[in-house]
């Protein structure tokens, strides 16, 4: 599954060597990043002109904190391939003014001319990035309060659940949807109900990922367990 997703990302880089990749964190993309690293080490892939924007970052965590998403990206991809770190972008979790940081990061995405390929995971509750179930689809980068289910899901990575940040910066639905192509990856039986909802359910902000039905170029890669409830 990771290899198939990595194939799509590598094809994008080969097609356009200065492409803009929207990247995700979490356990799902680790295998993808390992595969891309392997191909780069072999000389089959060149990241030297690639630009990246990450979906999200915890509010309050510095980029050196081992649970920050900047740290995750450096460890799992950026430090392992020939990318220019100045071309990699992650929200600043330690920004003093949340409103200004949201505007700054939105402008970063805009200044790149949009995202060529956006990689997504999907939360058990249907969140993409940290766009949690809500009454409306948030359009632009915003600060979000994480739901209890997301905090519980992420607590396995922290010493205790009390250490999990309660807020995050995340790209908005509008910015995700403006990507030219979207690649969404899901694995495991725990994701089966939400994958079924994504494919067969209606579009509604209570299931943020459902908006992807309105995008004209989405690829879903999932294993048999994640697809087990789909007709």
């Amino acid at each position: 599954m990771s290899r198939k997703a990595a194939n799509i990302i590598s094809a994008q880089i080969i097609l356009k060597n200065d492409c803009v990749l929207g990247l995700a964190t979490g356990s799902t993309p680790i295998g993808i990043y390992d595969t891309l690293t392997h191909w780069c080490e072999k000389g089959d892939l060149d990241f030297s002109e690639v630009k990246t924007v990450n979906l999200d970052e915890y509010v309050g965590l510095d980029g050196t904190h081992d649970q920050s998403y900047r740290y995750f990206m450096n460890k799992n991809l950026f430090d392992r391939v020939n990318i220019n770190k100045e071309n990699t972008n992650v929200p600043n979790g330690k920004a003093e003014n949340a409103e200004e940081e949201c505007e700054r990061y939105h402008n970063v995405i805009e200044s790149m001319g949009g995202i060529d390929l956006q990689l997504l995971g999907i939360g058990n509750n249907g969140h993409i990035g940290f766009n949690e179930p809500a009454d409306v689809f948030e359009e632009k980068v915003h600060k979000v309060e994480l739901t209890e289910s997301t905090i519980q899901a992420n607590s396995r990575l922290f010493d205790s659940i009390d250490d999990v940040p309660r807020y995050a910066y995340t790209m908005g639905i509008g910015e995700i949807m403006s990507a030219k192509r979207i690649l969404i990856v899901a694995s495991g039986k725990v994701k089966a109900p939400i994958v079924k909802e994504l494919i067969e359910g209606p579009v509604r902000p209570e299931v943020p990922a459902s908006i992807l039905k309105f995008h004209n170029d989405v690829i879903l890669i999932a294993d048999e367990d994640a697809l087990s409830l789909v007709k």
Side-chain angles (χ1 to χ4, degrees), residues 118-175:
Q118 175 67 58
L119 175 65
L120 295 176
I122 183 169
N124 297 347
N125 62 2
H127 74 236
I128 46 177
F130 272 130
N131 292 282
E132 297 280 19
D135 297 329
V136 294
F137 290 111
E138 288 275 2
E139 188 179 352
K140 291 167 62 176
V141 179
H142 57 285
K143 180 181 174 181
V144 64
E145 184 173 5
L146 304 184
T147 62
E148 201 52 47
S149 66
T150 298
I151 290 166
Q152 288 282 354
N154 292 356
S155 64
R156 71 188 190 284
L157 304 169
F158 290 81
D159 291 336
S160 99
I161 195 164
D162 297 331
D163 294 335
V164 184
R166 264 44 188 173
Y167 293 89
Y169 293 119
T170 184
M171 265 190 223
I173 294 292
E175 288 143 340

Side-chain angles (χ1 to χ4, degrees), residues 1-3 5-6 9 28-37 119 185:
M1 191 185 73
S2 294
R3 188 179 182 85
I9 295 170
T28 305
I30 289 176
I32 300 169
Y33 297 151
D34 284 344
T35 306
L36 292 172
T37 297
L119 175 65
V185 183

